[in-house]
Amino acid sequence: MRIPNLWGLLSVASLAAAHLPPRNYATHDYYAIHLCSSTSPADLAAHLGLTYEGELGSLEDHHVFKAPKHSNDLVGDAVQDLKRRRRKREVGLESHPLDSIRFAQKQRIKPRHWKRNAIPEVSRAGPPVTDAVNTQREIARALEIKDPIFEEQWHIFNVKTPGNDLNVTDVWMQGITGKNVTACIVDDGLDMDSEDLKDNFFAEGSYDFNDHVDLPKPRLSDDRHGTRCAGEVAAGRNNACGVGIAYDSKISGVRILSGDITDMDESLAINYELQKNDIYSCSWGPPDDGKTMQAPGLLIEKAMITAVQQGRGGKGSIYVFAAGNGAASDDNCNFDGYTNSIYSITVGAIDKNNKHPYYSEACSAQLVVTYSSGGGDAIHTTDVGANKCTSQHGGTSAAGPIGVGTFALVLQARPELTWRDLQWLTVMTAVPFDQPSDWTKTTLGKMFSHQFGYGKLDAYAMVEAAKTWKLVKPQAWFYSPWMHVKKEIPQGDQGLASTFEVTEQMLKSANFERVEHITLTMNVAHTRRGDVSVELISPDGMTSHLSTARRDDEFPAGYLDWTFMSVAHWGEKGIGKWTVIVKDTKVNEHSGTFTDWKLRLWGECIDASTQPLRPMPGAHDDDDHDAITSVPAHTTAISVPTNAAAITANPSDHPDRPVNQKPKPTTTDEPASTTAFETPISATSTPSASSVPESFLPSPFPTFGVSKRTQIWIYGSIGLILVFCASLAIYFYLARRKRLQSSRDDYEFEILDDAEDEEGGVRTGMLAAGAGGNNKRRARRGGELYDAFAGESDEDLLSDSETEDHPYTDRDEKVYDEKNGIGEGSDAGGSSGSSSQGRR
Ligand SMILES: *[C@@H]1O[C@H](CO)[C@@H](O)[C@H](O)[C@H]1NC(C)=O
Ligand SMILES: *[C@@H]1O[C@H](CO)[C@@H](O)[C@H](O)[C@H]1NC(C)=O
């Protein structure tokens, strides 16, 4: 029950956000605290000896407190102390101000995000096609474009390889140029004094969270990235440089990449002025070094959900993230919790020849690709300075903003589109192209590739489709129970499978009509994380490669409550068996256990009138909804045989692996920079998340840590190792006995050999259809060359996409879907990069 209070009435969210004083981390420590709404933050501040600063932006009931710099955690210590006194049954503690704390986090400086740009080589493009040049000049004349580098902007109109561009000029001809739409570049600043940007600059949507001043002026010598991205979106039609994709849109800047920030700052930045900024452009993320696995902290996640639920007048803010530049280090955008968020549109890169540039990461969460550097050219855009241009903007950093500009055009054409409509339109209008990849026809009849998503953006096609698009109904979700597997993962060419069957009735009672995103949260205990890979096979037979092996990822604890995402099942009904297969393809001294998993389907609801908004996740949100969707946990875990010849599971796969790699496991998995404690909303599963009480019950264990993940890390690591060793021994014993004693159907786990794959029980048959059936083939893990730059900044990377044909398809063992007559597997043994081709 919510009791309105004076603070709640006084603090209009935007007012409070505007009035939150700047942080000064040199002199003070800060706390973000989620309070019951009936509690006065001033009272709590008085009780704890803290200074109350104000509301934490748009986050409901979240507040900011500060105290002069100190080493301990004042709030966490006070809560622990109260628990101790209660255990000693001290009197007078029945109700206490601290009881109103639902989450508290002392703010620590975060590890820096990486910008996702790559510097290309000097242009070695061929001569222009005369007809195309003439057309380009006619377009410029008709639109009165006099910008000096417009003719170089091949991503807008390509005169050298005609057709390899965004196909945007006929959208402009209709007067659709981004009017009344604002994009916000969350980056290292935005040169609002540039001739090319000043007329479109929108100060109200801008802020500098590094220097805590109003205007995000670039101040450091390498603060050029945000300005270049801004130019791609909204460079004006004028006499400076070129034009942006949405050259009449407004552009704002939020500066976070040029100094120390905390989770609190990032949560404020990522939905800054969410009623005025429509699209947030994010060309950065956790390090793309092939060994990091990092997700936004809970405050940031809540800030994104708040924006998606309340931003743009409730239609939802649009998040666009660059896919990441770590492909050459085996990185995959599903190890990045920003790009694999269901709330962000992940944009990867192709070069001017429609080829995959060496850097652009693949993953099942990637929705779309568009043009960027590689193949001997890069993106030509505005630079920092009064009238300065660059021809050197690149990486997935440059692809994301082209998506942002396109979405701004779409929103001008149809302002009422929700955040999910925009994703739908991207899926429906992206254009697959003639490049080898694991193109597979989805249930919607669209081609999907982990390398290229649903294809490349076509601005004209998207805007045309938007004009008549029927808005989707609100978002519904269905959560499976936690599926407890707790089985050893066989090494080498086998995998361990576990299945959950979704019934029509389950989806009906969840008001769930069809799938958009799926997420899968899982725990895998493993002594070398980079050896593990995960596939998910849907009832319709579509395979998502949720994770792939990474040669440099030595992290010794596997996946800790990690959530993977896939957009490859878009449009499926979701009814039937979902099978997750965990593989450990490296035969070595490292091994592990598949502990558990939980599947979530996100998509369109059946009945819009009864569908609530997703409740804000708490520290214990994994417990939500289990009661609504509870089913007997029907878990089967069997080994899936795979073609032994298909995989070379030899550590010498990469003879040229970088010699300067850091041998130590990454420590960036959990932001060591944050501590927090959480109190569960309820000690047990609640019947429904929407009826979560506002009070809290004392947790039986102290829970220091930003998130559940952190707690598992802190408390679970030792336990995990012990349990793992013990269960390994028990498992070997039991599995052996069972194999000797039972027939196949009598037990839930077995190692199948190849012959058994053909026909069998339901599970086996389904697995054969999905993973090893006769209409699928696998390509071999190739021994292609990798450049030795892992661990260096992406700014040091040089483009050389032409030497790399189609790395994704032969980098990891792929399943090629030949049903529907596409994506024919062609390569069984070549290590030179030949593979299947997918054709429209
Ligand atoms: C590009 O836009 C035109 C209209 O200007 C449209 O007819 C065409 O289908 C689009 N796509 C391509 C690949 O040209
Ligand atoms: C601009 O957007 C606002 C808010 O979305 C809307 O009220 C207004 O009518 C729009 N103006 C134009 C010219 O489209």
Side-chain angles (χ1 to χ4, degrees):
M1 194 192 308
R2 306 181 60 101
I3 303 160
N5 62 81
L6 192 60
W7 285 98
L9 293 175
L10 283 177
S11 52
V12 178
S14 62
L15 205 79
H19 291 171
L20 191 61
R23 266 72 58 215
N24 182 343
Y25 295 112
T27 59
H28 286 80
D29 278 324
Y30 294 82
Y31 294 86
I33 300 183
H34 182 193
L35 285 175
C36 296
S37 50
S38 56
T39 305
S40 150
D43 287 352
L44 184 77
H47 180 84
L48 287 167
L50 301 171
T51 305
Y52 180 52
E53 293 280 274
E55 288 205 342
L56 180 52
S58 56
L59 289 190
E60 198 171 38
D61 300 327
H62 286 63
H63 303 273
V64 179
F65 301 83
K66 73 171 180 184
K69 240 178 151 36
H70 51 275
S71 57
N72 57 330
D73 180 342
L74 295 175
V75 184
D77 292 353
V79 169
Q80 291 312 309
D81 185 56
L82 177 63
K83 281 182 185 159
R84 221 172 294 124
R85 288 163 62 199
R86 278 186 173 146
R87 274 198 298 275
K88 289 187 195 149
R89 307 206 192 287
E90 269 185 44
V91 290
L93 298 175
E94 290 69 32
S95 86
H96 193 278
L98 293 181
D99 290 341
S100 62
I101 297 177
R102 295 173 57 177
F103 169 89
Q105 184 189 46
K106 183 177 178 181
Q107 299 300 301
R108 298 281 165 82
I109 302 303
K110 288 171 72 91
R112 296 279 176 99
H113 287 298
W114 283 18
K115 301 173 194 178
R116 288 180 165 164
N117 53 334
I119 297 173
E121 291 174 19
V122 224
S123 175
R124 44 191 158 90
V129 177
T130 315
D131 282 356
V133 173
N134 291 337
T135 312
Q136 185 188 45
R137 294 202 172 132
E138 278 163 32
I139 290 165
R141 239 190 323 271
L143 293 165
E144 295 176 47
I145 293 173
K146 302 196 183 74
D147 297 62
I149 69 161
F150 176 66
E151 292 188 4
E152 293 171 29
Q153 290 188 298
W154 60 268
H155 66 286
I156 293 173
F157 193 94
N158 194 332
V159 296
K160 289 174 180 166
T161 36
N164 288 5
D165 58 38
L166 188 61
N167 200 23
V168 70
T169 52
D170 275 355
V171 177
W172 295 344
M173 292 290 194
Q174 302 170 42
I176 298 173
T177 50
K179 292 183 203 90
N180 212 19
V181 179
T182 304
C184 177
I185 308 292
V186 182
D187 211 287
D188 62 7
L190 191 164
D191 189 356
M192 69 291 295
D193 299 322
S194 152
E195 294 287 319
D196 217 7
L197 295 171
K198 66 178 172 36
D199 290 341
N200 287 336
F201 179 65
F202 181 62
E204 278 179 70
S206 303
Y207 192 76
D208 182 340
F209 283 94
N210 290 134
D211 287 294
H212 300 284
V213 292
D214 287 341
L215 291 182
K217 184 86 181 161
R219 290 160 194 267
L220 307 177
S221 60
D222 68 342
D223 282 351
R224 296 183 302 263
H225 188 252
T227 301
R228 293 171 172 192
C229 292
E232 291 180 271
V233 178
R237 187 176 53 120
N238 51 28
N239 294 318
C241 295
V243 288
I245 302 300
Y247 56 74
D248 286 325
S249 64
K250 292 282 168 223
I251 192 85
S252 56
V254 160
R255 186 163 175 260
I256 62 165
L257 300 181
S258 305
D260 290 339
I261 58 163
T262 60
D263 268 18
M264 178 191 285
D265 296 319
E266 193 177 311
S267 71
L268 289 164
I270 207 151
N271 68 12
Y272 190 72
E273 289 293 359
L274 75 175
Q275 301 307 347
K276 292 174 181 165
N277 291 319
D278 299 310
I279 309 175
Y280 296 92
S281 181
C282 304
S283 288
W284 45 264
D288 295 330
D289 54 6
K291 50 192 175 183
T292 298
M293 197 161 179
Q294 208 180 87
L298 189 59
L299 289 178
I300 300 160
E301 193 190 352
K302 286 198 267 197
M304 287 179 73
I305 296 174
T306 301
V308 154
Q309 296 187 346
Q310 297 171 19
R312 279 199 324 120
K315 294 168 195 66
S317 309
I318 311 301
Y319 285 102
V320 176
F321 271 86
N325 290 356
S329 326
D330 283 356
D331 216 337
N332 175 293
C333 33
N334 239 330
F335 293 106
D336 169 342
Y338 295 86
T339 49
N340 86 3
S341 163
I342 65 171
Y343 303 112
S344 71
I345 297 180
T346 293
V347 181
I350 48 173
D351 70 16
K352 59 186 298 181
N353 302 312
N354 285 353
K355 290 214 156 111
H356 171 250
Y358 73 92
Y359 54 80
S360 190
E361 292 177 25
C363 70
S364 60
Q366 175 170 242
L367 205 61
V368 74
V369 292
T370 192
Y371 291 100
S372 186
S373 60
D377 211 338
I379 300 300
H380 299 238
T381 179
T382 316
D383 208 344
V384 172
N387 186 356
K388 209 157 173 288
C389 322
T390 179
S391 58
Q392 301 275 294
H393 192 39
T396 52
S397 271
I402 293 178
V404 171
T406 308
F407 303 144
L409 300 177
V410 174
L411 288 183
Q412 184 193 332
R414 281 293 297 279
E416 68 271 36
L417 296 173
T418 69
W419 65 279
R420 283 169 47 246
D421 289 307
L422 216 57
Q423 297 202 15
W424 267 102
L425 284 163
T426 307
V427 169
M428 299 309 282
T429 63
V431 181
F433 47 93
D434 190 6
Q435 282 295 316
S437 189
D438 61 330
W439 293 109
T440 305
K441 193 175 257 180
T442 70
T443 298
L444 280 181
K446 297 288 163 190
M447 302 300 286
F448 179 83
S449 134
H450 288 72
Q451 183 69 76
F452 301 123
Y454 283 93
K456 62 170 186 159
L457 278 172
D458 181 318
Y460 183 84
M462 193 167 179
V463 168
E464 287 306 301
K467 289 175 181 171
T468 55
W469 178 253
K470 186 169 172 293
L471 300 187
V472 291
K473 290 178 282 184
Q475 187 188 42
W477 54 87
F478 167 79
Y479 296 177
S480 83
W482 273 102
M483 309 297 286
H484 300 286
V485 181
K486 295 196 176 75
K487 295 279 192 292
E488 196 208 3
I489 306 158
Q491 288 203 4
D493 53 359
Q494 290 177 307
L496 180 65
S498 176
T499 297
F500 176 73
E501 181 164 4
V502 175
T503 66
E504 195 172 350
Q505 191 49 46
M506 288 175 199
L507 294 191
K508 222 181 214 163
S509 43
N511 194 27
F512 189 96
E513 185 163 297
R514 57 175 173 174
V515 174
E516 291 161 6
H517 312 84
I518 69 93
T519 57
L520 196 144
T521 306
M522 67 193 306
N523 288 286
V524 170
H526 199 284
T527 54
R528 190 182 186 281
R529 186 169 65 194
D531 292 2
V532 182
S533 58
V534 180
E535 293 160 26
L536 176 71
I537 303 166
S538 71
D540 288 3
M542 181 74 190
T543 301
S544 282
H545 292 264
L546 296 181
S547 84
T548 50
R550 301 196 295 179
R551 66 186 186 276
D552 294 334
D553 185 356
E554 310 273 354
F555 187 70
Y559 301 156
L560 305 172
D561 211 20
W562 184 260
T563 299
F564 293 109
M565 195 272 269
S566 175
V567 295
H569 306 284
W570 209 276
E572 293 188 23
K573 274 287 173 201
I575 298 164
K577 289 190 173 171
W578 291 82
T579 300
V580 58
I581 303 169
V582 179
K583 290 183 175 169
D584 178 354
T585 50
K586 302 278 180 189
V587 179
N588 55 19
E589 70 278 22
H590 295 290
S591 60
T593 301
F594 180 10
T595 310
D596 56 13
W597 62 290
K598 183 185 183 92
L599 177 72
R600 291 176 171 90
L601 310 181
W602 306 89
E604 194 172 15
C605 69
I606 299 168
D607 180 359
S609 66
T610 61
Q611 183 58 46
L613 283 174
R614 177 191 181 184
M616 211 40 80
H620 302 268
D621 68 316
D622 284 340
D623 302 331
D624 294 356
H625 294 277
D626 273 359
I628 297 175
T629 59
S630 176
V631 291
H634 165 71
T635 315
T636 54
I638 59 174
S639 269
V640 182
T642 57
N643 178 2
I647 299 155
T648 47
N650 188 319
S652 65
D653 259 354
H654 304 283
D656 58 334
R657 69 166 61 189
V659 291
N660 60 344
Q661 64 182 297
K662 292 198 194 85
K664 292 209 317 208
T666 177
T667 52
T668 53
D669 294 74
E670 290 306 325
S673 59
T674 36
T675 57
F677 78 84
E678 305 151 342
T679 47
I681 286 160
S682 162
T684 55
S685 279
T686 51
S688 123
S690 51
S691 64
V692 162
E694 294 259 326
S695 65
F696 87 99
L697 300 173
S699 170
F701 298 103
T703 54
F704 289 91
V706 234
S707 65
K708 192 172 174 186
R709 249 173 259 142
T710 312
Q711 292 172 46
I712 288 175
W713 171 238
I714 294 169
Y715 289 112
S717 294
I718 297 163
L720 268 176
I721 292 164
L722 292 176
V723 168
F724 170 63
C725 294
S727 61
L728 210 65
I730 294 166
Y731 155 69
F732 270 122
Y733 175 70
L734 289 180
R736 231 181 99 90
R737 271 179 50 137
K738 278 182 172 176
R739 194 157 12 149
L740 294 172
Q741 291 170 356
S742 334
S743 76
R744 185 200 312 158
D745 293 326
D746 288 342
Y747 54 93
E748 59 170 5
F749 173 76
E750 66 182 331
I751 305 220
L752 300 177
D753 52 43
D754 287 350
E756 286 178 280
D757 187 28
E758 257 102 79
E759 286 297 338
V762 181
R763 321 187 282 254
T764 325
M766 200 243 349
L767 286 168
N774 51 11
N775 59 353
K776 313 270 177 161
R777 291 177 62 183
R778 285 152 207 283
R780 158 174 295 210
R781 170 178 285 265
E784 78 275 16
L785 300 180
Y786 294 86
D787 296 329
F789 42 48
E792 295 176 18
S793 155
D794 55 351
E795 298 209 39
D796 302 330
L797 304 184
L798 292 180
S799 162
D800 198 10
S801 69
E802 287 178 341
T803 62
E804 183 169 324
D805 288 333
H806 14 80
Y808 184 73
T809 50
D810 52 7
R811 173 155 300 142
D812 69 289
E813 69 290 352
K814 292 292 304 152
V815 177
Y816 295 108
D817 188 345
E818 292 174 356
K819 85 179 167 185
N820 309 310
I822 44 89
E824 179 177 290
S826 64
D827 177 51
S831 60
S832 60
S834 66
S835 67
S836 75
Q837 67 271 12
R839 311 253 184 244
R840 269 178 285 158

